[in-house]
Amino acid sequence: MKLSWCPERASKAYIDTITYCKLQRESGPAELVSAMAAGWNARLIVETWFSSGAVAVSMGLAVASRHTGGRHVCVVSDEDSRSEYLELLGGVGLSAEVMVGDFDSVVSGLPGIDFMVVDCQRRDFTGMLQMAELGEHGAVLVCKNASVRISSSFRWRSVLDSGSTRRLVRSSFIPVGKGLDIAYVAANGESLRNFKGEKRWIKRLDRHSGEEVIIRK
C-alpha cells in the first residue's frame, strides 16, 4: 500500500488555512503544506519548532490534522518553547500535541510518521530526517526555509539512502515563502514502478507576489 491522494480534502484544508493565516505574513507555505498533509490523509504529522519561530506552517498542519482526524505532534526543546507555541496556536483557536525534549529521544516514541516538517535553519535538521521512523505506507518529508538553509550540500538521496527501507520516489523544490524542499518516500516493499502512473497538476496563486505556482504530483 501507499499514501493515497484526496484532492477534495486537500482543497478544504487549503481554504481553511487561508482563513486561519489571513493575519500572518508569508502564509503561502502554510496553505500548501496544509493541503499536502490533508490530501495525503496523513495520520501522524510531526514537526519541529523553536522559540520565536514563525507559526503559520504549524497552523496549516493543525488544520490538516482536523481534516484527516490524525495526530499532530510538535517537538520543542524546552518548556518555554512549549508554552509559547501553544499560546500562538491557541490565539487563533488551534491546538496540537507538544512534546518536549531532544528529537532523537522523542521520535523513538513516534513510529509511523506519515508527514514531517523540519526547519532548515536548524543545524541538526538532516539528523532529524534520518532518525524519523516513517510510516509503512510511505511518507512525505518537508524542509521549510529551504532557500536559507545552513547546509548548502544537502541532498535528499544522501539522507534517505541511510536506511534500506527509505527509498526516494521524487523530490521537488517549491519557491513559496522562503522555500519548501519536499521528498516523497516509498512505502516498505512498494515497487517504484507503481509511482509512475497518472500525474496530477495543482495550481496555486501566491497572494503576496502574484506568482502562479504549478506543482505536478
Side-chain angles (χ1 to χ4, degrees):
M1 294 181 63
K2 62 180 180 178
L3 295 177
S4 57
W5 178 256
C6 176
E8 181 180 0
R9 191 186 297 114
S11 177
K12 290 179 179 178
Y14 183 92
I15 293 171
D16 286 352
T17 302
I18 291 176
T19 301
Y20 280 104
C21 291
K22 61 184 178 182
L23 299 179
Q24 296 289 320
R25 300 179 63 183
E26 296 187 1
S27 58
E31 297 147 5
L32 179 57
V33 170
S34 179
M36 290 179 61
W40 287 116
N41 195 29
R43 309 302 296 172
L44 177 55
I45 300 170
V46 175
E47 65 167 321
T48 62
W49 189 84
F50 57 93
S51 182
S52 301
V55 77
V57 168
S58 300
M59 292 179 182
L61 295 175
V63 170
S65 68
R66 287 187 172 185
H67 284 274
T68 66
R71 184 182 177 191
H72 171 208
V73 179
C74 180
V75 181
V76 298
S77 59
D78 52 50
E79 286 294 340
D80 288 341
S81 296
R82 178 181 182 276
S83 298
E84 181 183 357
Y85 178 87
L86 289 175
E87 182 177 355
L88 289 170
L89 278 192
V92 293
L94 294 170
S95 62
E97 181 181 347
V98 184
M99 303 183 73
V100 179
D102 295 330
F103 185 82
D104 56 348
S105 60
V106 172
V107 77
S108 62
L110 297 172
I113 296 172
D114 298 314
F115 198 97
M116 188 169 87
V117 179
V118 299
D119 194 331
C120 286
Q121 294 184 104
R122 290 187 60 122
R123 293 189 179 276
D124 55 350
F125 81 92
T126 299
M128 292 177 176
L129 293 169
Q130 292 174 328
M131 288 183 289
E133 298 188 31
L134 306 182
E136 62 179 5
H137 303 307
V140 178
L141 306 177
V142 180
C143 292
K144 65 180 183 179
N145 296 320
S147 298
V148 293
R149 59 181 153 212
I150 293 174
S151 175
S152 59
S153 61
F154 175 83
R155 296 292 184 274
W156 277 113
R157 196 165 297 281
S158 63
V159 172
L160 298 174
D161 282 351
S162 62
S164 59
T165 61
R166 295 164 172 256
R167 291 176 293 121
L168 178 66
V169 177
R170 60 184 179 270
S171 62
S172 303
F173 177 83
I174 310 298
V176 294
K178 294 182 179 179
L180 296 174
D181 205 345
I182 305 165
Y184 303 82
V185 183
N188 291 345
E190 184 76 26
S191 170
L192 296 185
R193 291 192 299 270
N194 293 341
F195 286 87
K196 296 181 180 179
E198 180 183 356
K199 301 288 186 179
R200 297 182 178 88
W201 293 93
I202 296 178
K203 294 182 180 181
R204 73 171 298 279
L205 181 67
D206 190 304
R207 294 175 297 140
H208 301 288
S209 68
E211 179 184 6
E212 185 178 63
V213 179
I214 303 177
I215 309 162
R216 194 180 188 189
K217 292 190 173 297

